[in-house]
Structure formats: structure tokens, C-alpha cells
Amino acid sequence: SKEMNLLALRVLRDQVELIRKRGNVIDWARLAADARRFGLDRPVFFSLRLLQSLVGDIVPASVVVKLAPKRMSFFENTFLRLTLAGVRRSELCTIAYLGGIPTAIGRLRYVSGLLFPPRAVLARAYGRAQVDIRAFDYFCRIGRGLRQVWRSAV
């Protein structure tokens, strides 16, 4: 949604400003250690790597290397490759999120929830009553999504 994109942009801007103003006093080794200790090393890695690609040498390369996962899933690799290539679409976050789901069943549940959200959610998105949402609406929604993917890939 537009609100989520704006929030993500604000967070990114805040990170850049914080590092620019306080980067000389940030204990990068402790940041990396704390991220690992709290199980946040993957999201912190992706955040810092994205900042590094957007703003340049604002983040020490040694920190990014230290936080880099030993193994990345197909989804995480795809997210990183597309993001670093300049693709800026909010849908890429879905790819990264899939990488964080440990099981195939969990990923399947997540994707099915995206494809077939609850009727109340779809009704709100379309500005209609729940009783007016039919199976055809879901298929049209999936078709529009596939066309968007096709157009962006071509």
C-alpha cells in the first residue's frame, strides 16, 4: 500500500540521516553482535546492504560482510540481486519475506494468503460489500497481478 511504501521510505531516510550524523560514534562491531544475538542479523544485513548500494560508503563494508548470511535462500538471493540492480518495487519485500519462512508448507500458506485474502480484506480493497465478492474477483485479481509481472519482466 502507499502508506507502507511511505513508511519504508521514511525509515530508510532516517537510517541514512542517523548514520551520516552519528556514524562516527556508532559501535559497528556491537551493532553486528547485537543483531546476531537477537536474531536480527538477516534483516539488518539486508537493510545495511541496501543503504550501502543506495548511498555508497555510508556503512563500513566489514560490517556488511560480518552480517552476511552464510547461506541465502533462492528468495533472498533474488531479492538482493534485483534490489541491487535498481529494481525498486514493494513486491520485492514479499520475495525477501518468503526467504525467511523456514518450511515449504509455511511458504505455501503465505502465498495462498496473498493470492486468496479473506473476503473482508478484498471487499475493503475494492470498496464493496463482502457478499458482493465472488470467486471471479479472485481470479481477476490474480490475472491482473500476472499481467503486471509479465509487463515488468518484458
Side-chain angles (χ1 to χ4, degrees), residues 75 94 97-98 101-118:
F75 301 106
T94 301
Y97 186 78
L98 278 169
I101 300 173
T103 64
I105 293 293
R107 287 191 286 273
L108 184 61
R109 283 188 186 128
Y110 177 71
V111 169
S112 68
L114 290 175
L115 293 173
F116 304 104

Side-chain angles (χ1 to χ4, degrees), residues 62-110:
S62 61
V63 175
V64 176
V65 168
K66 188 181 282 188
L67 286 170
K70 289 179 184 22
R71 293 188 61 201
M72 284 196 281
S73 71
F74 165 79
F75 301 106
E76 291 170 323
N77 275 318
T78 303
F79 169 78
L80 195 57
R81 183 176 44 81
L82 291 173
T83 303
L84 296 179
V87 177
R88 304 285 185 257
R89 297 182 56 97
S90 60
E91 292 85 2
L92 288 179
C93 293
T94 301
I95 294 173
Y97 186 78
L98 278 169
I101 300 173
T103 64
I105 293 293
R107 287 191 286 273
L108 184 61
R109 283 188 186 128
Y110 177 71

Side-chain angles (χ1 to χ4, degrees), residues 31-86:
L31 175 75
D34 285 350
R36 285 206 189 285
R37 187 175 56 164
F38 293 115
L40 296 171
D41 45 331
R42 280 180 130 69
V44 171
F45 163 75
F46 285 112
S47 179
L48 294 179
R49 183 63 185 95
L50 181 58
L51 284 172
Q52 194 179 48
S53 74
L54 291 173
V55 189
D57 294 334
I58 193 167
V59 177
S62 61
V63 175
V64 176
V65 168
K66 188 181 282 188
L67 286 170
K70 289 179 184 22
R71 293 188 61 201
M72 284 196 281
S73 71
F74 165 79
F75 301 106
E76 291 170 323
N77 275 318
T78 303
F79 169 78
L80 195 57
R81 183 176 44 81
L82 291 173
T83 303
L84 296 179

Side-chain angles (χ1 to χ4, degrees), residues 116-134 137-138 141:
F116 304 104
R119 187 177 283 186
V121 171
L122 206 56
R124 207 171 321 124
Y126 289 166
R128 297 179 10 207
Q130 284 187 42
V131 295
D132 295 334
I133 300 297
R134 304 280 180 236
D137 295 310
Y138 286 95
R141 179 177 181 276

